[in-house]
Amino acid sequence: MTDKSTYVPPKVWTPPTTSGGKFASINRPVAGPTHEAELPVGKHPLQLYSLGTPNGVKVTIMLEELIALGYVQAEYDAWLIRINEGAQFSSGFVDINPNSKIPALVDRTGPEPVRVFESGSIMVYLAEKFGAFLPKEGVARVETMNWLFWQMGSAPFVGGGFGHFYAYAPEKLEYPIDRYAMETKRQLDVLERQLAHHQYVAGNAYTIADMAIWPWYGAMVRGELYEAAEFLSVHEYPHLRRWADEIGARPAVIRGRKVNRVFGNPDEQVAERHDAADLD
């Protein structure tokens, strides 16, 4: 440990004038909207407001998988929410997600619009709406939910912990990087051990658990997240890499990963999606 700090927390914390880092401009200690702006509404019953981050990709992969199965009612409009510009703090977005986080969904199928926020909630909602990718009962359903909520509880240590301090913080600090690298590798090992004995995360069927976990952990072992594959020695997880490559090769995953993506390879970026042809 080499980090030295003279910082002593005050008795009462007050927000700094600047916190530095890539996303500092959107950090604030209060909720609610910062400006008035209505959200656009397209032609499909399902309206998604998102960005192609791992949490956003979970939902677009699921929607594309549903469409690939023939559920035409799963056609959707995907509107880009530029979180680095604070679009998630508009009055319209806060109305559908008071927590101001992507993704958020509005289902306009029925007489009253239904808002759904938090990616795990959206995935369960869609799975139950269409009767796909989530076993209806028994041990298989419980196991799928176990792993879905494992991802929801675990990924913040990867993103807000490891990813922030390794890739985005204004300075590299040994202690938080070590702490969150340790936890990230522990989580990778959890998946490695599970996938050594199962084709998919929750067993022998492809489910919403795989769709939720792949954008975080699959991308990481494929070298597509935080440019940290070498640092984390991801070659140590061959079963996880086998699964990651199998999921990554699915046509619906390839399509879903493009939606609301405005970074990386230009050929893989589709800022907004309103028809299937937008991804062709």
Side-chain angles (χ1 to χ4, degrees):
M1 186 62 60
T2 60
D3 297 333
K4 301 294 182 183
S5 175
T6 59
Y7 174 72
V8 177
K11 290 184 177 180
V12 178
W13 180 84
T14 57
T17 55
T18 176
S19 59
K22 184 175 180 180
F23 298 104
S25 63
I26 64 172
N27 293 335
R28 62 193 185 112
V30 296
T34 59
H35 59 284
E36 294 292 321
E38 293 184 3
L39 291 177
V41 178
K43 63 184 179 181
H44 300 297
L46 297 179
Q47 298 292 301
L48 179 68
Y49 303 92
S50 191
L51 180 69
T53 65
N55 284 335
V57 167
K58 298 178 201 176
V59 176
T60 51
I61 284 176
M62 184 174 186
L63 287 165
E64 293 298 328
E65 291 281 13
L66 287 167
I67 292 168
L69 279 183
Y71 292 100
V72 295
Q73 302 91 339
E75 275 289 349
Y76 65 104
D77 291 279
W79 301 95
L80 180 64
I81 300 297
R82 295 184 182 272
I83 62 173
N84 60 318
E85 298 176 5
Q88 71 276 33
F89 299 120
S90 73
S91 57
F93 193 88
V94 172
D95 281 345
I96 61 171
N97 186 354
N99 197 38
S100 293
K101 302 292 184 182
I102 63 93
L105 178 77
V106 177
D107 184 354
R108 296 179 174 272
T109 304
E112 294 292 331
V114 177
R115 73 175 188 180
V116 196
F117 59 90
E118 291 295 332
S119 57
S121 179
I122 295 172
M123 298 183 84
V124 172
Y125 178 83
L126 291 173
E128 292 181 338
K129 179 181 178 71
F130 293 103
F133 302 119
L134 175 62
K136 291 182 171 56
E137 59 187 8
V139 173
R141 180 183 177 88
V142 173
E143 189 70 357
T144 300
M145 297 292 275
N146 287 342
W147 285 104
L148 174 65
F149 283 93
W150 176 87
Q151 186 279 314
M152 297 294 292
S154 298
F157 292 97
V158 176
F162 174 74
H164 174 77
F165 286 104
Y166 181 79
Y168 301 139
E171 57 181 314
K172 305 298 183 187
L173 299 174
E174 184 178 5
Y175 173 75
I177 291 175
D178 281 350
R179 174 181 173 84
Y180 290 113
M182 183 87 68
E183 173 61 13
T184 297
K185 285 186 67 66
R186 187 193 69 81
Q187 293 179 22
L188 292 172
D189 194 46
V190 169
L191 291 170
E192 174 69 11
R193 292 167 184 265
Q194 177 71 1
L195 289 164
H197 303 288
H198 301 88
Q199 182 179 1
Y200 299 106
V201 172
N204 295 320
Y206 178 56
T207 69
I208 57 175
D210 299 285
M211 299 176 204
I213 292 169
W214 185 85
W216 285 101
Y217 302 89
M220 181 166 284
V221 297
R222 284 159 57 96
E224 300 167 353
L225 191 62
Y226 307 130
E227 298 182 349
E230 182 179 7
F231 180 78
L232 294 171
S233 301
V234 298
H235 64 276
E236 297 174 349
Y237 312 105
H239 300 292
L240 177 54
R241 180 59 192 260
R242 180 271 306 164
W243 167 87
D245 287 341
E246 287 181 10
I247 302 299
R250 295 178 66 91
V253 173
I254 294 170
R255 293 172 68 82
R257 188 171 176 269
K258 296 178 181 180
V259 180
N260 296 145
R261 189 176 182 89
V262 290
F263 48 84
N265 186 338
D267 293 337
E268 298 177 346
Q269 297 181 28
V270 178
E272 293 187 353
R273 186 260 195 223
H274 303 290
D275 290 291
D278 294 337
L279 299 174
D280 296 331

